[in-house]
Amino acid sequence: MIIKQKWYTLKVKETLQTLKTGYDGLSKEEAENRLAKFGRNELEEKDRKSPFILLLKQFTSFLELLLIAAAIISLIMGDYVQAIVIIAVIIMAGVIGFIQEYRAEKEMEALKKMAAPITSVIRDNEEQEIQTGEIVIGDIILLRTGTRIPADARLIEAINLQVDESPLSGESVPVEKTIEALQVMELPVGDRKNMVFMGTSNSYGRGKAVVVATGMDTEFGMIASMLQEAEEKETPLQVSLNRTEREIGILALAISIVIAVFGVTRGYGIIEMFTWGVAMAVAIIPEALYAVMTITLALGVRRMVKRHALIRKLKAVETLGCASVICSDKTGTLTRNEMTVRKLWVNGQTIDVTGVGYRPEGEFYVNDRILDPQNDTHLQTLLRISVLCNDTHLSGTDGLWQIKGDPTEGALVVTAAKAGLWQDTLNNQYPRVDEIPFSSESKRMTTIHKLSRGRIAYSKGAPEVILNICTHIYSNGQEKELTNKNREHILEIALQWAGTALRVLGMAYKSLPDVSSTTDAEHKMVFTGLAGMIDPPREEVREAIQTCENAGIKPVMATGDHKVTAVAVARELGLLKEGAALSGAELDGMSDDEFEKTVEQVEVYARVSPSHKMRIVDAFSKKGYVVAMTGDGVNDAPALKKADIGVAMGITGTDVSKEAADMILTDDNFVSIVSAVEEGRSIFANIRKYLVYLLSGNTGAVIAMLTAILVGLPLPLTAVQIIFINLLMDGLPAVALGTEPPEQDFMNKPPRNLKEGIINRHALWYMVAVGLWIGGATLLVFIWVLDNGGELQKAMTIFFATMISLRLCNAFNCRSASNSLFKLGLFTNKEVIYAAASSFLLMIAAIYVPFLQVAFKTVPLTLSDWMIIIPVALTVLIAVEIAKFTMPLLKNRSKNPN
């Protein structure tokens, strides 16, 4: 059915007929059939590594190859048991590594699917939102300002449509579009004015288009091999951890070589010390670090999704934990985004409007008397402008009323419906023929409608902006000259309303001849009235702002609303206390140096444009702050990219702003940003916990083994036992620490320095101190057993059990760097309990199962032996608990010596 066409040469009707679709779109069944036939609308990715290749990769590292060499040598020397055990352990380690990496890869794939973009289409004559990957040839897609074009499509409607095609053509100037057929048979992509292409974006106007190519058949798909990245870039944290792992690896090899050489000089066999040295090196290196980190990141990001924050770029996770400034929009983020018109001003009188939310039910009052809106020409005119100069739709099903579009526009549509003016009826009576879309620079929107004779332009926008384009006012049924006194009075009313946190819009109209320029519409207009609506603050935001202050994060409001409105809302939320408030105009009057000196004192920015947001980010960055900036418009994209953490709105945000952002709020709520910061801190802390847990235990093992050789003691562990301990410690307990939930006091601490490494001073001291404790305690038990006549194999078994038990107890210590286990709650992370129990049972099996005794060279231990091992293991838990209790007391005493 679908053939290659020069679609730009066909007329709209011909295109629709060829694609067997219509203006009402495809049916659900037809769309599903086409999706099954032609595949998803996605660019093909480079072949991923198959699970088999991923499994083989586990056995190709330098240390794994050394272990295989050790097994072969053991086999040649006739030590079949050791050879078999080493091979078995290698296989077990490989399988565990494979499971971790495979799981990490699947987690990341799942996260990418969560971030899949959404597109508005018409199907079954209804507007629907579907995943971009589900778009099929023949779908009718809706294009609004900021929409990312999801596929190649032929335009069937274009109103002031301009498309940014720079990703495809490199042309920086937006291309004006038309629906007219082009009669030139061979045209380059940039000249196909009636086509839109995948990967480009709608920068102005609106339109509809029918999809003619998807996936790899699009223009973008044809050059996909050049555009696809060979591999995803690693985040700074991943780079840092890889470097740390390499440095630890070099250190481990050096230590193992030194110990092995020293062992040979003490009379041990070369082959024995080679195998032992390799095992020691494997035990020291945290080879599961990368996989555990990826899993921790993925699980943390999933938790963020549950808290309405969708991470698009992994680097944002580590940066979130360092955020020191959150610069947030007001509408919908700090407020509910459920606008309701409370007041109207027309013909010199104020009208109060009742009703809540989007239900079209309410009354109109003037001086406490009910007003019949049907009998008031001025009110009818104001409400007609409100509905027709509007792109938002109101719909109700089973008593549930919803809006599709902007909440501010939705409030106007609802108010008109309360007066009996229904949108569909008015749109049929006054069909729209042209428009000048709203932009953050113009702060107004104008639509042009056809009348029985001539045309009429309707405008709405900021009161001062609308007044500036008006020369007359509609008063007492006549168009009268708009005097300076009128202007001052109207602005005074708008200011009073804004002072009570009302958002105020002005309305105007202008009669036009049949033939006139669209740009002439916004000159010499007739002012009609004002509408004041309120967007109540979110109750939960007050607590979130207090949380920010406790966490050392500065919350800042940056809004396009009036300064008076912004200040009123900020004070109600507790965001504005002793700080200053600046308007965009005041900011324009300041030099960069002047602004940088005052930026830390400003808590509210009003009437700001996207360029102002850029200056705010710049000023904070120069002061050393890590800035999270919110945005929802096309023009917010540069500020979102410039900020350390760009945050787009999932509900009201444009596709362009979402693609520029590092994180998307699925509920547009300020609280979700704070929650994401908490999760960001938690994720980084969990990766550090894993590393500290593993390296402190490894340090203890090295100290015990090295000391034993230096003082002339027998080797406390065999190579197989070392590898087995490494397998236990690197597995379940490590992953379990990565699932630790955020600690209650995380948001009572200042942000982490972005330059601070994963191993900070506290972590280093902990690794050394606890490593000494674990190594010293284990070695003392080993010496005590030997001194009391215990056989070497029994002493080695007790050393083996004590080392594992101490390190498992240390896993509970590492759940928090500062909080007691009892404060955290023993059962708040059950995964650690399950992991420790599983590892302990595996150790028990190695000691008591007969064939494993032969493999690991262990002997059964008695109850009296365990009466020594368990108390010694608990000492590390008790010691660290005492340290966590006393350290804060010592710090407070040093700060207050009296």
Side-chain angles (χ1 to χ4, degrees), residues 2 7 15-16 19 21 26 34 41 119-121 132 135-142 149-156 195-196 208-215 218:
I2 306 300
W7 298 102
T15 303
L16 294 173
L19 295 169
T21 187
L26 299 172
R34 294 190 184 191
N41 176 39
T119 298
S120 293
V121 301
T132 297
I135 286 174
V136 296
I137 293 172
D139 261 327
I140 305 293
I141 56 175
L142 301 179
I149 311 297
D152 289 3
R154 169 67 163 89
L155 286 164
I156 59 174
M195 299 283 296
V196 289
K208 295 178 183 176
V210 57
V211 174
V212 299
T214 60
T218 62

Short mmCIF file of all heavy atoms in Angstrom, two decimals, residues 2 7 15-16 19 21 26 34 41 119-121 132 135-142 149-156 195-196 208-215 218:
data_model
loop_
_atom_site.label_atom_id
_atom_site.label_comp_id
_atom_site.label_asym_id
_atom_site.label_seq_id
_atom_site.Cartn_x
_atom_site.Cartn_y
_atom_site.Cartn_z
N ILE A 2 1.88 1.32 0.88
CA ILE A 2 2.70 2.52 1.00
C ILE A 2 3.84 2.45 0.00
O ILE A 2 4.61 1.50 -0.02
CB ILE A 2 3.27 2.66 2.42
CG1 ILE A 2 2.12 2.62 3.44
CG2 ILE A 2 4.04 3.94 2.56
CD1 ILE A 2 1.08 3.70 3.26
N TRP A 7 6.24 13.40 -1.90
CA TRP A 7 5.01 13.85 -1.25
C TRP A 7 4.80 15.35 -1.39
O TRP A 7 3.67 15.83 -1.42
CB TRP A 7 5.04 13.46 0.22
CG TRP A 7 5.11 11.98 0.43
CD1 TRP A 7 6.20 11.25 0.77
CD2 TRP A 7 4.04 11.05 0.29
NE1 TRP A 7 5.90 9.92 0.85
CE2 TRP A 7 4.56 9.76 0.56
CE3 TRP A 7 2.68 11.16 -0.04
CZ2 TRP A 7 3.79 8.61 0.53
CZ3 TRP A 7 1.91 10.02 -0.07
CH2 TRP A 7 2.46 8.76 0.20
N THR A 15 -2.62 13.42 -1.12
CA THR A 15 -1.77 12.77 -0.11
C THR A 15 -2.62 11.89 0.81
O THR A 15 -2.28 10.73 1.07
CB THR A 15 -1.04 13.83 0.74
OG1 THR A 15 -0.27 14.67 -0.11
CG2 THR A 15 -0.12 13.17 1.77
N LEU A 16 -3.72 12.43 1.30
CA LEU A 16 -4.59 11.67 2.20
C LEU A 16 -5.18 10.45 1.51
O LEU A 16 -5.27 9.36 2.10
CB LEU A 16 -5.71 12.57 2.73
CG LEU A 16 -5.27 13.73 3.65
CD1 LEU A 16 -6.44 14.64 3.96
CD2 LEU A 16 -4.66 13.20 4.94
N LEU A 19 -2.53 7.72 1.15
CA LEU A 19 -2.21 7.07 2.43
C LEU A 19 -3.43 6.39 3.06
O LEU A 19 -3.33 5.81 4.14
CB LEU A 19 -1.65 8.11 3.41
CG LEU A 19 -0.30 8.72 3.01
CD1 LEU A 19 0.03 9.91 3.89
CD2 LEU A 19 0.80 7.68 3.09
N THR A 21 -6.12 7.62 4.45
CA THR A 21 -6.48 8.19 5.74
C THR A 21 -7.31 9.43 5.50
O THR A 21 -7.59 9.80 4.35
CB THR A 21 -5.22 8.53 6.58
OG1 THR A 21 -5.63 8.92 7.88
CG2 THR A 21 -4.42 9.67 5.95
N LEU A 26 -6.57 7.80 11.62
CA LEU A 26 -6.73 6.35 11.48
C LEU A 26 -7.60 5.81 12.59
O LEU A 26 -7.70 6.41 13.67
CB LEU A 26 -5.36 5.66 11.52
CG LEU A 26 -4.34 6.04 10.44
CD1 LEU A 26 -2.99 5.41 10.76
CD2 LEU A 26 -4.82 5.61 9.07
N ARG A 34 -0.96 -1.37 10.88
CA ARG A 34 0.19 -0.73 10.24
C ARG A 34 1.44 -0.83 11.12
O ARG A 34 2.55 -0.97 10.60
CB ARG A 34 -0.13 0.73 9.91
CG ARG A 34 -1.23 0.88 8.87
CD ARG A 34 -1.37 2.30 8.37
NE ARG A 34 -2.50 2.42 7.44
CZ ARG A 34 -2.74 3.48 6.68
NH1 ARG A 34 -1.93 4.53 6.75
NH2 ARG A 34 -3.78 3.51 5.86
N ASN A 41 8.31 3.26 15.04
CA ASN A 41 8.91 4.49 14.55
C ASN A 41 10.17 4.81 15.36
O ASN A 41 10.20 5.71 16.19
CB ASN A 41 7.89 5.64 14.66
CG ASN A 41 8.48 6.98 14.25
OD1 ASN A 41 9.26 7.05 13.30
ND2 ASN A 41 8.12 8.02 14.96
N THR A 119 3.62 11.89 21.72
CA THR A 119 3.16 12.71 20.60
C THR A 119 1.64 12.76 20.58
O THR A 119 0.97 11.76 20.88
CB THR A 119 3.67 12.12 19.26
OG1 THR A 119 5.10 12.14 19.27
CG2 THR A 119 3.17 12.93 18.08
N SER A 120 1.10 13.94 20.22
CA SER A 120 -0.35 14.09 20.08
C SER A 120 -0.75 13.76 18.64
O SER A 120 -0.18 14.31 17.70
CB SER A 120 -0.77 15.52 20.42
OG SER A 120 -0.56 15.79 21.79
N VAL A 121 -1.71 12.86 18.49
CA VAL A 121 -2.21 12.46 17.17
C VAL A 121 -3.74 12.49 17.17
O VAL A 121 -4.36 12.55 18.23
CB VAL A 121 -1.72 11.05 16.78
CG1 VAL A 121 -0.22 10.96 16.76
CG2 VAL A 121 -2.31 9.99 17.72
N THR A 132 5.88 8.07 20.84
CA THR A 132 6.36 8.40 19.51
C THR A 132 6.70 7.14 18.71
O THR A 132 6.51 7.09 17.49
CB THR A 132 7.60 9.31 19.62
OG1 THR A 132 7.19 10.53 20.26
CG2 THR A 132 8.18 9.64 18.26
N ILE A 135 3.87 5.67 16.40
CA ILE A 135 3.33 6.41 15.25
C ILE A 135 3.50 5.57 13.99
O ILE A 135 4.53 4.93 13.79
CB ILE A 135 4.07 7.76 15.10
CG1 ILE A 135 3.60 8.72 16.20
CG2 ILE A 135 3.84 8.38 13.72
CD1 ILE A 135 4.34 10.01 16.22
N VAL A 136 2.47 5.61 13.14
CA VAL A 136 2.53 4.84 11.90
C VAL A 136 2.25 5.76 10.71
O VAL A 136 1.75 6.88 10.87
CB VAL A 136 1.50 3.68 11.91
CG1 VAL A 136 1.81 2.69 12.98
CG2 VAL A 136 0.07 4.22 12.06
N ILE A 137 2.57 5.28 9.53
CA ILE A 137 2.30 6.01 8.30
C ILE A 137 0.79 6.22 8.18
O ILE A 137 0.00 5.29 8.35
CB ILE A 137 2.85 5.25 7.08
CG1 ILE A 137 4.38 5.22 7.15
CG2 ILE A 137 2.38 5.87 5.78
CD1 ILE A 137 5.03 4.34 6.12
N GLY A 138 0.38 7.47 7.90
CA GLY A 138 -1.04 7.80 7.81
C GLY A 138 -1.58 8.46 9.05
O GLY A 138 -2.70 9.00 9.04
N ASP A 139 -0.83 8.47 10.15
CA ASP A 139 -1.27 9.16 11.37
C ASP A 139 -1.30 10.66 11.13
O ASP A 139 -0.42 11.22 10.47
CB ASP A 139 -0.30 8.86 12.53
CG ASP A 139 -0.83 7.78 13.46
OD1 ASP A 139 -2.05 7.70 13.62
OD2 ASP A 139 0.00 7.01 14.01
N ILE A 140 -2.29 11.33 11.72
CA ILE A 140 -2.35 12.79 11.70
C ILE A 140 -1.72 13.28 13.01
O ILE A 140 -2.21 12.98 14.10
CB ILE A 140 -3.81 13.30 11.62
CG1 ILE A 140 -4.53 12.70 10.41
CG2 ILE A 140 -3.82 14.82 11.57
CD1 ILE A 140 -4.01 13.13 9.08
N ILE A 141 -0.60 14.00 12.90
CA ILE A 141 0.08 14.52 14.10
C ILE A 141 -0.23 16.00 14.26
O ILE A 141 -0.39 16.73 13.28
CB ILE A 141 1.61 14.28 14.04
CG1 ILE A 141 2.21 14.91 12.78
CG2 ILE A 141 1.93 12.81 14.10
CD1 ILE A 141 3.74 14.81 12.73
N LEU A 142 -0.33 16.44 15.53
CA LEU A 142 -0.62 17.83 15.85
C LEU A 142 0.68 18.54 16.19
O LEU A 142 1.47 18.05 16.99
CB LEU A 142 -1.58 17.91 17.04
CG LEU A 142 -2.93 17.20 16.84
CD1 LEU A 142 -3.78 17.34 18.09
CD2 LEU A 142 -3.67 17.76 15.65
N ILE A 149 9.20 17.17 16.10
CA ILE A 149 8.57 16.43 15.01
C ILE A 149 8.97 14.96 15.12
O ILE A 149 10.17 14.64 15.11
CB ILE A 149 9.00 16.99 13.63
CG1 ILE A 149 8.85 18.51 13.59
CG2 ILE A 149 8.19 16.32 12.52
CD1 ILE A 149 7.47 19.05 13.75
N PRO A 150 8.01 14.03 15.21
CA PRO A 150 8.33 12.63 15.50
C PRO A 150 8.61 11.78 14.27
O PRO A 150 9.12 10.68 14.39
CB PRO A 150 7.08 12.14 16.21
CG PRO A 150 5.97 12.95 15.59
CD PRO A 150 6.56 14.28 15.26
N ALA A 151 8.23 12.25 13.07
CA ALA A 151 8.39 11.46 11.85
C ALA A 151 8.32 12.41 10.66
O ALA A 151 7.95 13.57 10.81
CB ALA A 151 7.28 10.40 11.76
N ASP A 152 8.68 11.93 9.48
CA ASP A 152 8.51 12.75 8.27
C ASP A 152 7.03 12.82 7.94
O ASP A 152 6.33 11.79 7.93
CB ASP A 152 9.28 12.13 7.10
CG ASP A 152 10.78 12.28 7.26
OD1 ASP A 152 11.21 12.81 8.30
OD2 ASP A 152 11.52 11.87 6.35
N ALA A 153 6.54 14.02 7.65
CA ALA A 153 5.10 14.18 7.43
C ALA A 153 4.81 15.30 6.44
O ALA A 153 5.57 16.25 6.31
CB ALA A 153 4.39 14.46 8.76
N ARG A 154 3.69 15.14 5.72
CA ARG A 154 3.21 16.16 4.77
C ARG A 154 2.20 17.03 5.49
O ARG A 154 1.23 16.54 6.09
CB ARG A 154 2.56 15.46 3.57
CG ARG A 154 1.77 16.36 2.62
CD ARG A 154 2.69 17.33 1.87
NE ARG A 154 2.03 17.88 0.69
CZ ARG A 154 1.28 19.00 0.69
NH1 ARG A 154 1.08 19.67 1.81
NH2 ARG A 154 0.75 19.43 -0.45
N LEU A 155 2.41 18.36 5.47
CA LEU A 155 1.53 19.29 6.16
C LEU A 155 0.15 19.32 5.50
O LEU A 155 0.04 19.37 4.27
CB LEU A 155 2.13 20.69 6.17
CG LEU A 155 3.32 20.87 7.14
CD1 LEU A 155 4.08 22.14 6.81
CD2 LEU A 155 2.84 20.89 8.58
N ILE A 156 -0.89 19.31 6.33
CA ILE A 156 -2.26 19.48 5.82
C ILE A 156 -2.92 20.71 6.43
O ILE A 156 -4.01 21.09 6.04
CB ILE A 156 -3.11 18.22 6.09
CG1 ILE A 156 -3.20 17.92 7.60
CG2 ILE A 156 -2.56 17.02 5.34
CD1 ILE A 156 -4.13 16.78 7.93
N MET A 195 6.63 20.08 3.96
CA MET A 195 7.02 18.86 4.69
C MET A 195 7.64 19.23 6.04
O MET A 195 8.27 20.29 6.18
CB MET A 195 8.03 18.05 3.88
CG MET A 195 7.54 17.56 2.53
SD MET A 195 6.45 16.13 2.67
CE MET A 195 7.56 14.90 3.35
N VAL A 196 7.49 18.35 7.01
CA VAL A 196 8.23 18.44 8.27
C VAL A 196 8.94 17.11 8.48
O VAL A 196 8.47 16.07 8.00
CB VAL A 196 7.31 18.76 9.47
CG1 VAL A 196 6.80 20.18 9.40
CG2 VAL A 196 6.14 17.78 9.55
N LYS A 208 -1.09 20.78 11.41
CA LYS A 208 -1.33 19.35 11.40
C LYS A 208 -0.58 18.77 10.21
O LYS A 208 -0.40 19.43 9.19
CB LYS A 208 -2.82 19.04 11.27
CG LYS A 208 -3.67 19.49 12.44
CD LYS A 208 -5.14 19.18 12.17
CE LYS A 208 -6.03 19.69 13.31
NZ LYS A 208 -7.47 19.48 13.01
N ALA A 209 -0.18 17.50 10.34
CA ALA A 209 0.54 16.86 9.24
C ALA A 209 0.23 15.37 9.24
O ALA A 209 -0.04 14.78 10.30
CB ALA A 209 2.04 17.08 9.38
N VAL A 210 0.25 14.78 8.05
CA VAL A 210 0.02 13.35 7.92
C VAL A 210 1.37 12.66 7.71
O VAL A 210 2.18 13.08 6.88
CB VAL A 210 -0.96 13.02 6.78
CG1 VAL A 210 -0.46 13.58 5.45
CG2 VAL A 210 -1.22 11.53 6.68
N VAL A 211 1.64 11.62 8.51
CA VAL A 211 2.93 10.94 8.49
C VAL A 211 3.10 10.16 7.19
O VAL A 211 2.21 9.39 6.80
CB VAL A 211 3.06 9.99 9.71
CG1 VAL A 211 4.34 9.16 9.62
CG2 VAL A 211 3.03 10.79 11.00
N VAL A 212 4.25 10.35 6.54
CA VAL A 212 4.52 9.65 5.28
C VAL A 212 5.72 8.70 5.39
O VAL A 212 5.93 7.86 4.51
CB VAL A 212 4.76 10.64 4.12
CG1 VAL A 212 3.53 11.49 3.90
CG2 VAL A 212 5.98 11.53 4.39
N ALA A 213 6.52 8.85 6.45
CA ALA A 213 7.67 7.95 6.63
C ALA A 213 8.02 7.88 8.11
O ALA A 213 7.92 8.88 8.83
CB ALA A 213 8.88 8.43 5.83
N THR A 214 8.39 6.69 8.56
CA THR A 214 8.75 6.50 9.97
C THR A 214 10.10 5.79 10.09
O THR A 214 10.58 5.20 9.13
CB THR A 214 7.68 5.65 10.70
OG1 THR A 214 7.59 4.37 10.05
CG2 THR A 214 6.33 6.34 10.68
N GLY A 215 10.67 5.87 11.28
CA GLY A 215 11.90 5.11 11.58
C GLY A 215 13.03 5.35 10.61
O GLY A 215 13.36 6.49 10.25
N THR A 218 12.83 7.61 7.30
CA THR A 218 12.79 9.06 7.33
C THR A 218 14.12 9.63 6.83
O THR A 218 15.11 8.92 6.71
CB THR A 218 12.54 9.57 8.76
OG1 THR A 218 13.63 9.15 9.59
CG2 THR A 218 11.23 9.02 9.32
#
